[in-house]
């Protein structure tokens, strides 16, 4: 039975991979609409022939990897269950420790290490791909260091969350999902609060903006928008990437406006001011708090669905999955599989909300700086630095794009320039 299910899963995944390969490399065409060819939104007007070729090649590979990596994760969880690996990890942990927290920690260490090792080749391929196309400038030791940090940080947080989760499942089999969600609320807000001052500095060096003349302009812009701010931060990213970025992070007193040094080095002051106005728009429009609310709502729905789906799957397929009871730690890969499935298929909704927020922030920025030329040129530079796909297929836009495609953003402000 196990062999049959394993072969069926591999066969289904293989068919899916072939379908995705044919779609991205031989099927879809994300060319520029005839009406926009030769305009400021057409990448051929601001990218070289070589950059256009590289952008097209890289976009196809990135999209293909995105759409196969998550189903591959599902396949891994499935095999960890049906081959009895999860049950074996639980047995090893129980033999070593009597305390529940230590057993949970050991089980999660085994599971996390196995997943890290199996997924490492794909992660390394992504790293080398970014290096080969000139996006990443990060040396291997630095990249590997970040992977190790990710492993231990995620393991530490997982021990806390999983220990509490399974305690709730055992204590309240019917309402565990509601209690788990209630604990998610303060935990998520706490992580948002400490991220800028505790987590982010582990990976990068942050400092107040060194260009004081530019900082004065940015703070003046913030004052004009009635946004209380004393500092703008820059982060040293040029050792890792050639891409450009700026963002707002954190909540309350720990909120920060952050500029990558690559952005400072590549863009003009006017372009930077537009980007800063965009980020101020997110702050003023309360997008961070809206995102927290959306995340918590979707988490509530997700936990409720898991509470319905997981017991049913164990009752029907428990012998195949080697799971006897949902409260047993060896059921965790099934919990993760269902969670990943729900997150993947809810991403079009969350991405649509995010794209709407980005459109509002763009509109706020242009009202504040009144410089559509800077908006157009900054978007062109962002595209150039990241070799981004300006007009992705609908499937890619739905599942991958948290921002509107550059074709739409550039064309919107280019039309404003023409109207003026």
């Amino acid at each position: 039975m196990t062999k049959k299910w394993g072969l069926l899963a591999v066969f289904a995944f293989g068919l899916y991979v072939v379908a995705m390969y044919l779609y991205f490399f031989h099927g879809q065409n994300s060319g520029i609409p005839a009406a926009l060819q030769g305009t400021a939104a057409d990448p051929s007007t601001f990218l070289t022939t070589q950059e256009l070729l590289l952008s097209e090649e890289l976009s196809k590979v990135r999209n293909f990897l995105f759409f196969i990596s998550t189903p591959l994760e599902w396949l891994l969880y499935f095999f960890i269950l049906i081959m009895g690996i999860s049950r074996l990890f639980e047995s090893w942990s129980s033999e070593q420790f009597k305390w529940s927290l230590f057993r949970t920690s050991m089980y999660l260490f085994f599971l996390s290490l196995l997943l890290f090792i199996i997924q490492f080749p794909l992660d390394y391929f992504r790293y080398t791909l970014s290096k080969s196309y000139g996006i990443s400038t990060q040396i291997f030791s630095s990249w590997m260091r970040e992977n190790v940090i990710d492993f231990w940080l995620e393991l530490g947080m997982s021990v806390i969350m999983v220990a509490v989760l399974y305690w709730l499942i055992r204590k309240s089999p019917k309402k565990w999902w509601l209690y788990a969600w209630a604990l998610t609320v303060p935990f998520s807000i706490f992580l948002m609060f400490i991220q800028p001052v505790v987590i982010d500095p582990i990976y990068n060096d942050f400092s107040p903006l060194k260009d004081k003349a530019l900082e004065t302009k940015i703070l003046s812009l913030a004052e004009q928008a009635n946004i209380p701010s004393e500092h703008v931060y820059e982060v040293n990213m040029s050792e890792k990437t050639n891409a450009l970025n700026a963002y707002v992070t954190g909540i309350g007193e720990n909120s920060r406006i952050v500029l990558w040094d690559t952005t400072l080095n590549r863009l003009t002051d006017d372009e930077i001011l537009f980007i800063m106005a965009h980020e101020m728009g997110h702050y003023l429009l309360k997008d961070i708090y809206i995102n927290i609310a959306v995340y918590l709502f979707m988490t509530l729905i997700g936990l409720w669905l898991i509470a319905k789906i997981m017991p049913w799957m164990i009752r029907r397929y428990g012998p195949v999955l080697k799971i006897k009871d949902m409260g047993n730690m060896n059921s965790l890969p099934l919990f993760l599989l269902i969670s990943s499935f729900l997150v993947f298929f809810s991403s079009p909704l969350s991405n649509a909300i995010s794209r709407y927020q980005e459109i509002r922030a763009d509109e706020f920025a242009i009202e504040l700086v009144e410089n559509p030329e800077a908006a157009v040129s900054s978007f062109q530079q962002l595209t150039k630095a990241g070799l981004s796909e300006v007009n992705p297929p609908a499937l890619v836009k739905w599942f991958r794009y948290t921002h509107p495609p550059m074709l739409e953003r550039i064309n919107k402000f280019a039309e404003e320039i023409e109207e003026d």
Side-chain angles (χ1 to χ4, degrees):
M1 182 65 73
T2 298
K3 184 177 180 180
K4 174 185 175 182
W5 280 97
L7 289 174
L8 283 173
V10 171
F11 181 70
F13 179 71
L15 286 180
Y16 172 79
V17 170
V18 171
M20 288 295 100
Y21 176 82
L22 292 175
Y23 176 73
F24 287 115
F25 290 94
H26 299 285
Q28 60 88 21
N29 181 10
S30 55
I32 306 302
L36 297 181
Q37 290 178 4
T39 67
D42 185 350
S44 65
T45 63
F46 58 89
L47 296 181
T48 66
T49 303
Q50 179 68 5
E51 287 170 338
L52 282 170
L53 179 62
L54 293 175
S55 173
E56 182 179 350
E57 291 177 350
L58 182 59
S59 296
K60 288 180 179 179
V61 178
R62 279 174 168 170
N63 292 335
F64 175 70
L65 289 177
F66 172 84
F67 279 95
I68 68 167
S69 59
T70 301
L72 176 61
E73 182 182 326
W74 304 341
L75 187 67
L76 292 178
Y77 290 140
F78 182 69
F79 269 93
I80 287 171
L81 288 168
I82 67 171
M83 293 178 68
I85 296 173
S86 181
R87 188 168 61 182
L88 181 63
F89 286 167
E90 184 182 40
S91 176
W92 286 351
S93 303
S94 299
E95 291 172 1
Q96 295 296 322
F97 298 104
K98 293 182 179 180
W99 291 86
S100 177
L101 182 61
F102 292 148
R103 290 200 301 268
T104 300
S105 301
M106 184 58 67
Y107 172 86
L108 285 171
F109 175 76
F110 289 143
L111 180 63
S112 300
L113 184 62
L114 177 63
L115 292 171
F116 179 87
I117 293 171
I118 294 175
Q119 293 175 320
F120 183 81
L122 184 59
D123 292 337
Y124 180 72
F125 177 75
R126 286 197 183 100
Y127 163 71
T128 56
L129 179 72
S130 187
K131 288 272 287 187
S132 64
Y133 279 85
I135 307 298
S136 174
T137 59
Q138 191 172 22
I139 60 175
F140 176 78
S141 60
S142 173
W143 176 80
M144 194 65 205
R145 172 182 172 274
E146 290 190 350
N147 275 270
V148 172
I149 291 173
D150 284 343
F151 176 86
W152 288 108
L153 278 178
E154 290 173 8
L155 178 62
M157 287 190 288
S158 296
V159 167
I160 298 171
M161 292 187 293
V162 171
V164 172
L165 174 67
Y166 273 80
W167 181 81
L168 290 172
I169 290 173
R170 296 183 191 110
K171 290 292 182 180
S172 181
K174 292 184 178 180
K175 293 185 178 180
W176 65 266
W177 59 273
L178 184 59
Y179 300 139
W181 177 80
L183 292 175
T184 298
V185 176
F187 186 71
S188 299
I189 294 174
F190 173 72
L191 286 180
M192 289 283 291
F193 185 76
I194 68 168
Q195 181 176 334
V197 293
V198 176
I199 298 175
D200 289 349
I202 296 175
Y203 295 91
N204 300 299
D205 296 325
F206 291 80
S207 62
L209 187 61
K210 298 181 181 67
D211 187 339
K212 296 305 176 184
L214 178 59
E215 184 179 46
T216 299
K217 293 178 183 179
I218 294 173
L219 294 178
S220 174
L221 201 65
E223 183 180 358
Q224 183 180 338
N226 295 317
I227 297 175
S229 182
E230 296 181 0
H231 295 291
V232 178
Y233 291 85
E234 65 177 270
V235 55
N236 180 16
M237 291 296 294
S238 55
E239 294 179 354
K240 299 179 181 180
T241 183
N242 283 318
L244 313 179
N245 197 18
Y247 59 91
V248 175
T249 185
I251 57 175
E253 295 178 357
N254 286 351
S255 61
R256 288 181 173 181
I257 298 176
V258 180
L259 273 164
W260 286 10
D261 64 339
T262 50
T263 304
L264 294 167
N265 296 334
R266 293 276 295 274
L267 300 187
T268 66
D269 282 6
D270 284 345
E271 291 167 343
I272 291 172
L273 288 174
F274 169 77
I275 291 175
M276 285 291 92
H278 173 96
E279 299 304 328
M280 291 172 191
H282 284 304
Y283 177 90
L284 205 64
L285 296 167
K286 309 297 183 185
D287 285 342
I288 292 176
Y289 300 99
I290 292 172
N291 289 339
I292 293 174
V294 170
Y295 167 77
L296 292 175
F297 175 74
M298 295 185 76
T299 300
L300 176 64
I301 300 300
L303 287 171
W304 177 77
L305 287 172
I306 292 171
K308 299 296 182 183
I309 297 170
M310 196 168 168
W312 174 82
M313 291 190 69
I314 293 173
R315 286 195 302 270
R316 180 154 186 172
Y317 303 107
V320 176
L321 300 172
K322 308 293 191 297
I323 302 173
K324 292 183 178 180
D325 187 82
M326 184 175 174
N328 294 341
M329 184 61 63
N330 72 316
S331 69
L332 181 61
L334 179 59
F335 184 97
L336 296 175
L337 190 158
I338 299 171
S339 300
S340 177
F341 185 88
L342 293 175
V343 168
F344 183 77
F345 284 102
S346 65
S347 60
L349 175 59
S350 57
N351 287 345
I353 294 171
S354 177
R355 288 195 299 272
Y356 172 71
Q357 291 176 334
E358 296 299 330
I359 291 171
R360 291 199 309 164
D362 280 349
E363 291 171 349
F364 173 88
I366 208 64
E367 289 178 7
L368 186 61
V369 299
E370 298 180 341
N371 191 345
E373 291 85 359
V376 169
S377 59
S378 63
F379 289 148
Q380 290 176 337
Q381 288 299 319
L382 286 167
T383 302
K384 190 181 185 75
L387 295 177
S388 305
E389 188 174 21
V390 299
N391 189 33
L395 187 67
V396 175
K397 178 181 175 180
W398 296 338
F399 281 89
R400 291 200 65 192
Y401 274 54
T402 57
H403 291 61
M406 285 301 187
L407 185 76
E408 298 175 11
R409 300 177 84 181
I410 295 174
N411 184 57
K412 179 179 179 178
F413 293 119
E415 288 179 343
E416 290 192 16
I417 295 172
E418 291 178 1
E419 291 174 1
D420 292 341

